[in-house]
Amino acid sequence: MNLNSIDERNGTFSIGIVIDKEHRGKGYGTRAMEILLRYAFLERRLHKFNDSVLEGNVGSSRMMQKLGCVQEGVRRQVVYINGKYMDFILYGLTKDEFIQKQNEKLNI
C-alpha cells in the first residue's frame, strides 16, 4: 500500500493497494485505506483522492463506496484483458467529504 501520483501543487493523490486473496473481504483493505487517507488529508494536507477501479472488481468498488468516494466517471475501454477491452470506473474523495464521513461514523 502506498500513496502515489501525488501532485503537491493541486493537493491530489491516489493510493495503490494489494491484498492477498486469503485476506480479502475481511475489512483489512478498507481499514488500511482509512488510515492512509487520514495521513494524506490531515498530516500531508492533501485535498483530493482520485483513483480508478477496473470494471467488474466488485470488492474494490464496494471499498471505495464504504470510504465515501463518489463515482465521478468512466474511462472507457482502456485495458485489454482476456480478449476484451474493459473500462476504469473513476472515484474521488475530497478532504471535507472524508472528514464528514469519519464524523458520521463517530456520531459527531
Side-chain angles (χ1 to χ4, degrees), residues 59-97:
S60 291
S61 290
R62 191 173 323 131
M63 179 178 67
M64 291 293 166
Q65 293 164 4
K66 283 181 187 177
L67 292 168
C69 295
V70 175
Q71 183 178 331
E72 297 182 335
V74 176
R75 289 191 63 214
R76 300 177 308 121
Q77 299 184 8
V78 293
V79 178
Y80 189 76
I81 299 175
N82 296 326
K84 177 182 172 187
Y85 285 99
M86 299 183 75
D87 300 343
F88 274 133
I89 312 302
L90 307 177
Y91 288 94
L93 180 69
T94 66
K95 178 180 179 177
D96 291 341
E97 291 166 339

Side-chain angles (χ1 to χ4, degrees), residues 15 36 41 59 100:
I15 295 175
L36 197 52
F41 288 134
Q100 179 181 352

Side-chain angles (χ1 to χ4, degrees), residues 1-86:
M1 165 169 239
N2 66 326
L3 290 177
N4 56 46
S5 303
I6 298 170
D7 178 341
E8 296 284 352
R9 178 181 172 107
N10 295 302
T12 59
F13 66 99
S14 63
I15 295 175
I17 182 171
V18 177
I19 304 292
D20 287 339
K21 286 185 181 183
E22 65 267 15
H23 301 293
R24 292 179 190 164
K26 298 178 181 177
Y28 301 139
T30 302
R31 184 64 186 126
M33 288 285 289
E34 286 175 340
I35 292 167
L36 197 52
L37 286 168
R38 180 172 290 119
Y39 167 74
F41 288 134
L42 303 180
E43 300 295 327
R44 294 286 305 268
R45 298 183 179 181
L46 297 171
H47 173 71
K48 174 91 185 304
F49 167 62
N50 294 304
D51 221 334
S52 60
V53 173
L54 186 65
E55 71 174 287
N57 186 339
V58 176
S60 291
S61 290
R62 191 173 323 131
M63 179 178 67
M64 291 293 166
Q65 293 164 4
K66 283 181 187 177
L67 292 168
C69 295
V70 175
Q71 183 178 331
E72 297 182 335
V74 176
R75 289 191 63 214
R76 300 177 308 121
Q77 299 184 8
V78 293
V79 178
Y80 189 76
I81 299 175
N82 296 326
K84 177 182 172 187
Y85 285 99
M86 299 183 75

